[in-house]
Amino acid sequence: MGASPQVVLAIPPQVTTLIEALEVGGFEAWVVGGCVRDQLLGREPKDWDITTSAKPGQAKRLLGPTGARLIDTGIAHGTLTVILDGLPIELTTYRVEARYLDGRHPSKVDFVTSLTEDLGRRDFTMNAIAWHPQRGLADPYGGQTDIAARLIRTVGDANQRLSEDALRILRALRFASELSFALADDLAGALHARCQLLARVAPERLMPELLRLLCGDEVLEVLLAYPDVLAVMIPEITATIGFEQHTPYHAWDVWEHTARAVAASEPDPLVRLSLLMHDLGKPATFFTGEDGRGHFYGHNMVGEKLARARLSALRADNETIDAVAEMVRWHQENIKPENLLRWLNRLGEEHLRKLLAVKQGDMAAHAGDLVNERLERIATTRQALEDLLASAPAYRRVDLAVDGYDLMELGFEPGKRLGRALDALLDAVIGDSVPNDREALLIAARSLLADETL
Ligand code: ATP
Ligand code: MG
């Protein structure tokens, strides 16, 4: 193999230790995949992968003495997670996925003896490069050339490789967005042609890739060029593509507005996922007013429902579903500095921050004279929120200067009425009609005790 020893990558000492331990035992071992790609690009690798000719059992015997912790991640597939001095490293045995029957899972994994074969089963040429501390780079599929040209190209025929494992469709777009790489022409064509296959991929594998795609620098270009791919995962997108809004506040159709809002927001997964879904309710709620303009009354509530249903179909966790639903529901709300305590009470600190980030992204993708003024208003509110939080304000029951026990001493029975009394006190504190002060709150509580409407 045409290894080029002149290239030196900076790899953690733990990785070197594992490679040496495997090679002393008579096997080959190389650093491989995304970590090599990222180093060649001058990016910090996210995780470390080693590929080796040793089978998992053999690797375990050799690595035991290094003091590493070994976790059987997928022994049958030849994957072992090794933790050495706190660094997790994925170790895989040279293998090829023998056959894919369903475009999802290899029906069988075959261990092979050559590195070239192992590199050949990898998705893209830039991910099919290995490196060894003494032997240098092994790059049988032209990965370095493609990296230099900033091009994503499949190892082998694009249509076939996407059909084998349709997750690669989304991975291609995720890498395009994250790395600002272009897609080879045949791959771009195959993405459109094969995108329906994504529907067969286990949703658990899709979500992490989608979130990374959304947070990449090139997300706008990807969303505008591949709405058909996104729409396989989120079919509600289809109706937004080309859906004209007929209002002076919008220069773009619903999908382009969405894409621009996502790209204009900070790269936070929840903020961007919420913006991806924030206007899904628009096509169903559109009507033309007597003024000839488009209106979308209630699109936030319809959108909230659609987002919930879609995210549960995509097996998102409940926390994410609830948070996105909240963002979609409230995205149009005019959040004023003077109402921040109420909003904090409703959403909590983290979600209120994110809602303001959602509103900022949404507003930045509007048209018209008022945009700059409104963006400034949102910025002012965001600053006001930080200032307010720095003063440790009372906006939750636990922040009150009295608690349930104090109220029981006054004569409240434990139960729902006591909860309502605490909420009423909190409401009074937030509304500034009672100070958050023990004596004042006890007086207010005493009058609540006698209040039969509570
Ligand atoms: P990152 O770590 O930045 O997410 P990566 O390329 O390292 O990017 P991983 O998911 O960590 O991605 O996978 C490690 C390597 O395994 C890849 O570089 C690639 O060689 C191979 N690989 C991962 N997923 C697939 C796949 N679906 N099909 C073929 N090869 C894959
Ligand atoms: Mg990786």
Side-chain angles (χ1 to χ4, degrees), residues 370-404:
L370 292 173
V371 170
N372 284 336
E373 191 189 314
R374 289 190 179 158
L375 279 174
E376 265 170 42
R377 245 193 269 157
I378 295 170
T380 308
T381 308
R382 293 181 87 172
Q383 187 55 51
L385 175 62
E386 296 312 317
D387 295 345
L388 180 64
L389 286 169
S391 72
Y395 64 88
R396 299 162 299 190
R397 275 188 194 175
V398 294
D399 301 325
L400 284 173
V402 295
D403 62 17

PDB file of all heavy atoms in Angstrom, residues 370-404:
ATOM      1  N   LEU A 370     -39.489  47.216   9.538  1.00  0.00           N
ATOM      2  CA  LEU A 370     -39.506  47.096  10.995  1.00  0.00           C
ATOM      3  C   LEU A 370     -38.524  46.075  11.541  1.00  0.00           C
ATOM      4  O   LEU A 370     -38.321  45.978  12.749  1.00  0.00           O
ATOM      5  CB  LEU A 370     -40.919  46.722  11.464  1.00  0.00           C
ATOM      6  CG  LEU A 370     -41.961  47.811  11.255  1.00  0.00           C
ATOM      7  CD1 LEU A 370     -43.353  47.294  11.597  1.00  0.00           C
ATOM      8  CD2 LEU A 370     -41.627  49.033  12.115  1.00  0.00           C
ATOM      9  N   VAL A 371     -37.918  45.304  10.635  1.00  0.00           N
ATOM     10  CA  VAL A 371     -37.100  44.183  11.102  1.00  0.00           C
ATOM     11  C   VAL A 371     -35.993  44.623  12.055  1.00  0.00           C
ATOM     12  O   VAL A 371     -35.833  44.061  13.148  1.00  0.00           O
ATOM     13  CB  VAL A 371     -36.496  43.400   9.914  1.00  0.00           C
ATOM     14  CG1 VAL A 371     -35.463  42.390  10.387  1.00  0.00           C
ATOM     15  CG2 VAL A 371     -37.603  42.659   9.178  1.00  0.00           C
ATOM     16  N   ASN A 372     -35.225  45.642  11.659  1.00  0.00           N
ATOM     17  CA  ASN A 372     -34.097  46.042  12.514  1.00  0.00           C
ATOM     18  C   ASN A 372     -34.551  46.517  13.874  1.00  0.00           C
ATOM     19  O   ASN A 372     -33.965  46.173  14.897  1.00  0.00           O
ATOM     20  CB  ASN A 372     -33.263  47.114  11.818  1.00  0.00           C
ATOM     21  CG  ASN A 372     -32.416  46.485  10.729  1.00  0.00           C
ATOM     22  OD1 ASN A 372     -32.113  45.289  10.791  1.00  0.00           O
ATOM     23  ND2 ASN A 372     -32.058  47.265   9.727  1.00  0.00           N
ATOM     24  N   GLU A 373     -35.630  47.288  13.869  1.00  0.00           N
ATOM     25  CA  GLU A 373     -36.152  47.786  15.139  1.00  0.00           C
ATOM     26  C   GLU A 373     -36.581  46.612  16.028  1.00  0.00           C
ATOM     27  O   GLU A 373     -36.298  46.579  17.220  1.00  0.00           O
ATOM     28  CB  GLU A 373     -37.346  48.680  14.820  1.00  0.00           C
ATOM     29  CG  GLU A 373     -37.852  49.490  15.974  1.00  0.00           C
ATOM     30  CD  GLU A 373     -39.175  50.158  15.590  1.00  0.00           C
ATOM     31  OE1 GLU A 373     -39.248  50.728  14.479  1.00  0.00           O
ATOM     32  OE2 GLU A 373     -40.117  50.078  16.402  1.00  0.00           O
ATOM     33  N   ARG A 374     -37.254  45.629  15.425  1.00  0.00           N
ATOM     34  CA  ARG A 374     -37.715  44.480  16.221  1.00  0.00           C
ATOM     35  C   ARG A 374     -36.556  43.622  16.701  1.00  0.00           C
ATOM     36  O   ARG A 374     -36.594  43.097  17.816  1.00  0.00           O
ATOM     37  CB  ARG A 374     -38.703  43.653  15.409  1.00  0.00           C
ATOM     38  CG  ARG A 374     -40.010  44.399  15.255  1.00  0.00           C
ATOM     39  CD  ARG A 374     -41.101  43.546  14.668  1.00  0.00           C
ATOM     40  NE  ARG A 374     -42.314  44.325  14.568  1.00  0.00           N
ATOM     41  CZ  ARG A 374     -43.314  44.050  13.743  1.00  0.00           C
ATOM     42  NH1 ARG A 374     -43.232  42.996  12.949  1.00  0.00           N
ATOM     43  NH2 ARG A 374     -44.390  44.803  13.713  1.00  0.00           N
ATOM     44  N   LEU A 375     -35.547  43.497  15.867  1.00  0.00           N
ATOM     45  CA  LEU A 375     -34.370  42.731  16.302  1.00  0.00           C
ATOM     46  C   LEU A 375     -33.704  43.424  17.487  1.00  0.00           C
ATOM     47  O   LEU A 375     -33.262  42.777  18.431  1.00  0.00           O
ATOM     48  CB  LEU A 375     -33.367  42.592  15.156  1.00  0.00           C
ATOM     49  CG  LEU A 375     -33.674  41.485  14.156  1.00  0.00           C
ATOM     50  CD1 LEU A 375     -32.692  41.535  12.987  1.00  0.00           C
ATOM     51  CD2 LEU A 375     -33.629  40.099  14.812  1.00  0.00           C
ATOM     52  N   GLU A 376     -33.662  44.740  17.427  1.00  0.00           N
ATOM     53  CA  GLU A 376     -33.077  45.480  18.551  1.00  0.00           C
ATOM     54  C   GLU A 376     -33.894  45.268  19.813  1.00  0.00           C
ATOM     55  O   GLU A 376     -33.347  45.131  20.908  1.00  0.00           O
ATOM     56  CB  GLU A 376     -33.026  46.976  18.230  1.00  0.00           C
ATOM     57  CG  GLU A 376     -31.690  47.387  17.661  1.00  0.00           C
ATOM     58  CD  GLU A 376     -31.712  48.804  17.115  1.00  0.00           C
ATOM     59  OE1 GLU A 376     -32.304  49.683  17.785  1.00  0.00           O
ATOM     60  OE2 GLU A 376     -31.164  49.009  16.006  1.00  0.00           O
ATOM     61  N   ARG A 377     -35.205  45.229  19.638  1.00  0.00           N
ATOM     62  CA  ARG A 377     -36.066  45.027  20.808  1.00  0.00           C
ATOM     63  C   ARG A 377     -35.813  43.661  21.442  1.00  0.00           C
ATOM     64  O   ARG A 377     -35.759  43.523  22.659  1.00  0.00           O
ATOM     65  CB  ARG A 377     -37.533  45.146  20.403  1.00  0.00           C
ATOM     66  CG  ARG A 377     -38.185  46.352  21.074  1.00  0.00           C
ATOM     67  CD  ARG A 377     -39.671  46.285  20.933  1.00  0.00           C
ATOM     68  NE  ARG A 377     -40.111  46.972  19.727  1.00  0.00           N
ATOM     69  CZ  ARG A 377     -41.251  46.731  19.107  1.00  0.00           C
ATOM     70  NH1 ARG A 377     -42.075  45.786  19.557  1.00  0.00           N
ATOM     71  NH2 ARG A 377     -41.589  47.411  18.047  1.00  0.00           N
ATOM     72  N   ILE A 378     -35.660  42.660  20.601  1.00  0.00           N
ATOM     73  CA  ILE A 378     -35.386  41.313  21.133  1.00  0.00           C
ATOM     74  C   ILE A 378     -34.031  41.307  21.847  1.00  0.00           C
ATOM     75  O   ILE A 378     -33.885  40.735  22.930  1.00  0.00           O
ATOM     76  CB  ILE A 378     -35.435  40.245  20.014  1.00  0.00           C
ATOM     77  CG1 ILE A 378     -36.860  40.160  19.455  1.00  0.00           C
ATOM     78  CG2 ILE A 378     -35.000  38.879  20.546  1.00  0.00           C
ATOM     79  CD1 ILE A 378     -36.995  39.312  18.192  1.00  0.00           C
ATOM     80  N   ALA A 379     -33.052  41.980  21.245  1.00  0.00           N
ATOM     81  CA  ALA A 379     -31.724  42.040  21.882  1.00  0.00           C
ATOM     82  C   ALA A 379     -31.817  42.726  23.245  1.00  0.00           C
ATOM     83  O   ALA A 379     -31.198  42.288  24.225  1.00  0.00           O
ATOM     84  CB  ALA A 379     -30.740  42.771  20.974  1.00  0.00           C
ATOM     85  N   THR A 380     -32.604  43.789  23.309  1.00  0.00           N
ATOM     86  CA  THR A 380     -32.777  44.494  24.582  1.00  0.00           C
ATOM     87  C   THR A 380     -33.422  43.578  25.610  1.00  0.00           C
ATOM     88  O   THR A 380     -33.029  43.541  26.781  1.00  0.00           O
ATOM     89  CB  THR A 380     -33.690  45.740  24.381  1.00  0.00           C
ATOM     90  OG1 THR A 380     -33.152  46.495  23.308  1.00  0.00           O
ATOM     91  CG2 THR A 380     -33.776  46.579  25.630  1.00  0.00           C
ATOM     92  N   THR A 381     -34.428  42.828  25.169  1.00  0.00           N
ATOM     93  CA  THR A 381     -35.104  41.917  26.099  1.00  0.00           C
ATOM     94  C   THR A 381     -34.147  40.830  26.578  1.00  0.00           C
ATOM     95  O   THR A 381     -34.164  40.453  27.751  1.00  0.00           O
ATOM     96  CB  THR A 381     -36.331  41.277  25.419  1.00  0.00           C
ATOM     97  OG1 THR A 381     -37.123  42.325  24.864  1.00  0.00           O
ATOM     98  CG2 THR A 381     -37.157  40.481  26.406  1.00  0.00           C
ATOM     99  N   ARG A 382     -33.312  40.344  25.669  1.00  0.00           N
ATOM    100  CA  ARG A 382     -32.352  39.305  26.076  1.00  0.00           C
ATOM    101  C   ARG A 382     -31.397  39.851  27.134  1.00  0.00           C
ATOM    102  O   ARG A 382     -31.076  39.181  28.110  1.00  0.00           O
ATOM    103  CB  ARG A 382     -31.554  38.800  24.863  1.00  0.00           C
ATOM    104  CG  ARG A 382     -32.423  38.042  23.883  1.00  0.00           C
ATOM    105  CD  ARG A 382     -31.625  37.521  22.701  1.00  0.00           C
ATOM    106  NE  ARG A 382     -31.053  36.211  23.011  1.00  0.00           N
ATOM    107  CZ  ARG A 382     -30.431  35.441  22.112  1.00  0.00           C
ATOM    108  NH1 ARG A 382     -30.287  35.845  20.867  1.00  0.00           N
ATOM    109  NH2 ARG A 382     -29.949  34.271  22.446  1.00  0.00           N
ATOM    110  N   GLN A 383     -30.949  41.089  26.940  1.00  0.00           N
ATOM    111  CA  GLN A 383     -30.063  41.697  27.933  1.00  0.00           C
ATOM    112  C   GLN A 383     -30.800  41.905  29.252  1.00  0.00           C
ATOM    113  O   GLN A 383     -30.271  41.632  30.328  1.00  0.00           O
ATOM    114  CB  GLN A 383     -29.515  43.028  27.392  1.00  0.00           C
ATOM    115  CG  GLN A 383     -28.449  43.652  28.278  1.00  0.00           C
ATOM    116  CD  GLN A 383     -27.286  42.683  28.561  1.00  0.00           C
ATOM    117  OE1 GLN A 383     -26.717  42.095  27.622  1.00  0.00           O
ATOM    118  NE2 GLN A 383     -26.939  42.471  29.837  1.00  0.00           N
ATOM    119  N   ALA A 384     -32.054  42.370  29.142  1.00  0.00           N
ATOM    120  CA  ALA A 384     -32.848  42.594  30.358  1.00  0.00           C
ATOM    121  C   ALA A 384     -33.018  41.282  31.124  1.00  0.00           C
ATOM    122  O   ALA A 384     -32.994  41.261  32.359  1.00  0.00           O
ATOM    123  CB  ALA A 384     -34.214  43.181  29.990  1.00  0.00           C
ATOM    124  N   LEU A 385     -33.168  40.193  30.415  1.00  0.00           N
ATOM    125  CA  LEU A 385     -33.307  38.887  31.068  1.00  0.00           C
ATOM    126  C   LEU A 385     -32.034  38.539  31.842  1.00  0.00           C
ATOM    127  O   LEU A 385     -32.089  38.108  32.994  1.00  0.00           O
ATOM    128  CB  LEU A 385     -33.608  37.804  30.025  1.00  0.00           C
ATOM    129  CG  LEU A 385     -33.651  36.361  30.566  1.00  0.00           C
ATOM    130  CD1 LEU A 385     -34.762  36.193  31.601  1.00  0.00           C
ATOM    131  CD2 LEU A 385     -33.830  35.355  29.426  1.00  0.00           C
ATOM    132  N   GLU A 386     -30.889  38.739  31.216  1.00  0.00           N
ATOM    133  CA  GLU A 386     -29.630  38.438  31.911  1.00  0.00           C
ATOM    134  C   GLU A 386     -29.468  39.316  33.149  1.00  0.00           C
ATOM    135  O   GLU A 386     -29.064  38.843  34.203  1.00  0.00           O
ATOM    136  CB  GLU A 386     -28.428  38.612  30.967  1.00  0.00           C
ATOM    137  CG  GLU A 386     -28.408  37.631  29.790  1.00  0.00           C
ATOM    138  CD  GLU A 386     -28.657  36.172  30.203  1.00  0.00           C
ATOM    139  OE1 GLU A 386     -28.094  35.728  31.228  1.00  0.00           O
ATOM    140  OE2 GLU A 386     -29.439  35.487  29.505  1.00  0.00           O
ATOM    141  N   ASP A 387     -29.791  40.589  33.011  1.00  0.00           N
ATOM    142  CA  ASP A 387     -29.680  41.499  34.166  1.00  0.00           C
ATOM    143  C   ASP A 387     -30.608  41.044  35.281  1.00  0.00           C
ATOM    144  O   ASP A 387     -30.243  41.020  36.458  1.00  0.00           O
ATOM    145  CB  ASP A 387     -30.033  42.942  33.764  1.00  0.00           C
ATOM    146  CG  ASP A 387     -29.022  43.494  32.756  1.00  0.00           C
ATOM    147  OD1 ASP A 387     -27.940  42.878  32.602  1.00  0.00           O
ATOM    148  OD2 ASP A 387     -29.330  44.521  32.114  1.00  0.00           O
ATOM    149  N   LEU A 388     -31.827  40.692  34.891  1.00  0.00           N
ATOM    150  CA  LEU A 388     -32.812  40.266  35.879  1.00  0.00           C
ATOM    151  C   LEU A 388     -32.329  38.998  36.595  1.00  0.00           C
ATOM    152  O   LEU A 388     -32.371  38.900  37.826  1.00  0.00           O
ATOM    153  CB  LEU A 388     -34.146  40.001  35.169  1.00  0.00           C
ATOM    154  CG  LEU A 388     -35.303  39.531  36.042  1.00  0.00           C
ATOM    155  CD1 LEU A 388     -35.684  40.610  37.052  1.00  0.00           C
ATOM    156  CD2 LEU A 388     -36.520  39.186  35.173  1.00  0.00           C
ATOM    157  N   LEU A 389     -31.858  38.030  35.827  1.00  0.00           N
ATOM    158  CA  LEU A 389     -31.413  36.769  36.438  1.00  0.00           C
ATOM    159  C   LEU A 389     -30.227  36.990  37.373  1.00  0.00           C
ATOM    160  O   LEU A 389     -30.083  36.304  38.390  1.00  0.00           O
ATOM    161  CB  LEU A 389     -31.048  35.749  35.351  1.00  0.00           C
ATOM    162  CG  LEU A 389     -32.251  35.145  34.631  1.00  0.00           C
ATOM    163  CD1 LEU A 389     -31.804  34.355  33.400  1.00  0.00           C
ATOM    164  CD2 LEU A 389     -33.058  34.237  35.567  1.00  0.00           C
ATOM    165  N   ALA A 390     -29.392  37.971  37.046  1.00  0.00           N
ATOM    166  CA  ALA A 390     -28.237  38.258  37.899  1.00  0.00           C
ATOM    167  C   ALA A 390     -28.689  38.752  39.276  1.00  0.00           C
ATOM    168  O   ALA A 390     -27.946  38.661  40.258  1.00  0.00           O
ATOM    169  CB  ALA A 390     -27.335  39.291  37.228  1.00  0.00           C
ATOM    170  N   SER A 391     -29.920  39.255  39.353  1.00  0.00           N
ATOM    171  CA  SER A 391     -30.410  39.762  40.642  1.00  0.00           C
ATOM    172  C   SER A 391     -31.178  38.690  41.411  1.00  0.00           C
ATOM    173  O   SER A 391     -31.830  38.993  42.414  1.00  0.00           O
ATOM    174  CB  SER A 391     -31.309  40.979  40.405  1.00  0.00           C
ATOM    175  OG  SER A 391     -32.536  40.543  39.835  1.00  0.00           O
ATOM    176  N   ALA A 392     -31.081  37.419  40.976  1.00  0.00           N
ATOM    177  CA  ALA A 392     -31.737  36.287  41.647  1.00  0.00           C
ATOM    178  C   ALA A 392     -33.193  36.583  42.011  1.00  0.00           C
ATOM    179  O   ALA A 392     -33.574  36.591  43.175  1.00  0.00           O
ATOM    180  CB  ALA A 392     -30.950  35.872  42.891  1.00  0.00           C
ATOM    181  N   PRO A 393     -34.029  36.843  41.018  1.00  0.00           N
ATOM    182  CA  PRO A 393     -35.419  37.227  41.275  1.00  0.00           C
ATOM    183  C   PRO A 393     -36.256  36.019  41.716  1.00  0.00           C
ATOM    184  O   PRO A 393     -35.863  34.880  41.493  1.00  0.00           O
ATOM    185  CB  PRO A 393     -35.900  37.696  39.907  1.00  0.00           C
ATOM    186  CG  PRO A 393     -35.130  36.830  38.948  1.00  0.00           C
ATOM    187  CD  PRO A 393     -33.779  36.645  39.560  1.00  0.00           C
ATOM    188  N   ALA A 394     -37.413  36.321  42.333  1.00  0.00           N
ATOM    189  CA  ALA A 394     -38.319  35.247  42.725  1.00  0.00           C
ATOM    190  C   ALA A 394     -39.303  35.003  41.584  1.00  0.00           C
ATOM    191  O   ALA A 394     -40.047  35.903  41.205  1.00  0.00           O
ATOM    192  CB  ALA A 394     -39.072  35.646  43.992  1.00  0.00           C
ATOM    193  N   TYR A 395     -39.274  33.814  41.013  1.00  0.00           N
ATOM    194  CA  TYR A 395     -40.272  33.472  39.985  1.00  0.00           C
ATOM    195  C   TYR A 395     -40.765  32.040  40.092  1.00  0.00           C
ATOM    196  O   TYR A 395     -41.581  31.595  39.312  1.00  0.00           O
ATOM    197  CB  TYR A 395     -39.739  33.774  38.574  1.00  0.00           C
ATOM    198  CG  TYR A 395     -38.540  32.951  38.159  1.00  0.00           C
ATOM    199  CD1 TYR A 395     -38.702  31.713  37.538  1.00  0.00           C
ATOM    200  CD2 TYR A 395     -37.248  33.414  38.390  1.00  0.00           C
ATOM    201  CE1 TYR A 395     -37.602  30.959  37.171  1.00  0.00           C
ATOM    202  CE2 TYR A 395     -36.145  32.664  38.024  1.00  0.00           C
ATOM    203  CZ  TYR A 395     -36.328  31.432  37.417  1.00  0.00           C
ATOM    204  OH  TYR A 395     -35.228  30.679  37.058  1.00  0.00           O
ATOM    205  N   ARG A 396     -40.220  31.273  41.061  1.00  0.00           N
ATOM    206  CA  ARG A 396     -40.695  29.896  41.297  1.00  0.00           C
ATOM    207  C   ARG A 396     -41.153  29.787  42.749  1.00  0.00           C
ATOM    208  O   ARG A 396     -40.710  30.575  43.601  1.00  0.00           O
ATOM    209  CB  ARG A 396     -39.549  28.897  41.080  1.00  0.00           C
ATOM    210  CG  ARG A 396     -38.968  28.877  39.702  1.00  0.00           C
ATOM    211  CD  ARG A 396     -37.617  28.210  39.709  1.00  0.00           C
ATOM    212  NE  ARG A 396     -36.682  28.942  40.571  1.00  0.00           N
ATOM    213  CZ  ARG A 396     -35.374  28.722  40.645  1.00  0.00           C
ATOM    214  NH1 ARG A 396     -34.834  27.764  39.924  1.00  0.00           N
ATOM    215  NH2 ARG A 396     -34.607  29.435  41.440  1.00  0.00           N
ATOM    216  N   ARG A 397     -41.967  28.793  43.049  1.00  0.00           N
ATOM    217  CA  ARG A 397     -42.418  28.596  44.430  1.00  0.00           C
ATOM    218  C   ARG A 397     -41.240  28.553  45.398  1.00  0.00           C
ATOM    219  O   ARG A 397     -41.295  29.123  46.482  1.00  0.00           O
ATOM    220  CB  ARG A 397     -43.165  27.272  44.548  1.00  0.00           C
ATOM    221  CG  ARG A 397     -44.624  27.344  44.191  1.00  0.00           C
ATOM    222  CD  ARG A 397     -45.242  26.005  44.564  1.00  0.00           C
ATOM    223  NE  ARG A 397     -46.554  25.827  43.970  1.00  0.00           N
ATOM    224  CZ  ARG A 397     -47.242  24.704  44.078  1.00  0.00           C
ATOM    225  NH1 ARG A 397     -46.751  23.665  44.743  1.00  0.00           N
ATOM    226  NH2 ARG A 397     -48.438  24.609  43.531  1.00  0.00           N
ATOM    227  N   VAL A 398     -40.169  27.854  44.992  1.00  0.00           N
ATOM    228  CA  VAL A 398     -39.037  27.702  45.921  1.00  0.00           C
ATOM    229  C   VAL A 398     -38.342  29.021  46.223  1.00  0.00           C
ATOM    230  O   VAL A 398     -37.588  29.117  47.188  1.00  0.00           O
ATOM    231  CB  VAL A 398     -37.953  26.721  45.398  1.00  0.00           C
ATOM    232  CG1 VAL A 398     -38.476  25.313  45.326  1.00  0.00           C
ATOM    233  CG2 VAL A 398     -37.389  27.180  44.062  1.00  0.00           C
ATOM    234  N   ASP A 399     -38.572  30.026  45.374  1.00  0.00           N
ATOM    235  CA  ASP A 399     -37.918  31.318  45.619  1.00  0.00           C
ATOM    236  C   ASP A 399     -38.641  32.143  46.675  1.00  0.00           C
ATOM    237  O   ASP A 399     -38.130  33.169  47.135  1.00  0.00           O
ATOM    238  CB  ASP A 399     -37.862  32.146  44.320  1.00  0.00           C
ATOM    239  CG  ASP A 399     -37.116  31.419  43.216  1.00  0.00           C
ATOM    240  OD1 ASP A 399     -36.145  30.709  43.528  1.00  0.00           O
ATOM    241  OD2 ASP A 399     -37.521  31.566  42.041  1.00  0.00           O
ATOM    242  N   LEU A 400     -39.859  31.714  47.039  1.00  0.00           N
ATOM    243  CA  LEU A 400     -40.642  32.510  47.993  1.00  0.00           C
ATOM    244  C   LEU A 400     -39.991  32.493  49.381  1.00  0.00           C
ATOM    245  O   LEU A 400     -39.372  31.501  49.771  1.00  0.00           O
ATOM    246  CB  LEU A 400     -42.060  31.951  48.102  1.00  0.00           C
ATOM    247  CG  LEU A 400     -43.008  32.254  46.946  1.00  0.00           C
ATOM    248  CD1 LEU A 400     -44.319  31.486  47.137  1.00  0.00           C
ATOM    249  CD2 LEU A 400     -43.270  33.754  46.835  1.00  0.00           C
ATOM    250  N   ALA A 401     -40.178  33.579  50.117  1.00  0.00           N
ATOM    251  CA  ALA A 401     -39.612  33.687  51.467  1.00  0.00           C
ATOM    252  C   ALA A 401     -40.426  32.874  52.484  1.00  0.00           C
ATOM    253  O   ALA A 401     -40.082  32.842  53.662  1.00  0.00           O
ATOM    254  CB  ALA A 401     -39.531  35.154  51.878  1.00  0.00           C
ATOM    255  N   VAL A 402     -41.509  32.232  52.029  1.00  0.00           N
ATOM    256  CA  VAL A 402     -42.239  31.288  52.893  1.00  0.00           C
ATOM    257  C   VAL A 402     -42.395  29.975  52.136  1.00  0.00           C
ATOM    258  O   VAL A 402     -42.267  29.934  50.913  1.00  0.00           O
ATOM    259  CB  VAL A 402     -43.655  31.806  53.264  1.00  0.00           C
ATOM    260  CG1 VAL A 402     -43.571  33.063  54.115  1.00  0.00           C
ATOM    261  CG2 VAL A 402     -44.491  32.053  52.009  1.00  0.00           C
ATOM    262  N   ASP A 403     -42.664  28.899  52.867  1.00  0.00           N
ATOM    263  CA  ASP A 403     -42.887  27.624  52.186  1.00  0.00           C
ATOM    264  C   ASP A 403     -44.144  26.947  52.729  1.00  0.00           C
ATOM    265  O   ASP A 403     -44.867  27.514  53.559  1.00  0.00           O
ATOM    266  CB  ASP A 403     -41.662  26.716  52.308  1.00  0.00           C
ATOM    267  CG  ASP A 403     -41.345  26.359  53.749  1.00  0.00           C
ATOM    268  OD1 ASP A 403     -42.225  26.537  54.632  1.00  0.00           O
ATOM    269  OD2 ASP A 403     -40.210  25.905  54.008  1.00  0.00           O
ATOM    270  N   GLY A 404     -44.401  25.746  52.272  1.00  0.00           N
ATOM    271  CA  GLY A 404     -45.615  25.022  52.639  1.00  0.00           C
ATOM    272  C   GLY A 404     -45.743  24.815  54.147  1.00  0.00           C
ATOM    273  O   GLY A 404     -46.847  24.879  54.697  1.00  0.00           O
TER     274      GLY A 404
END
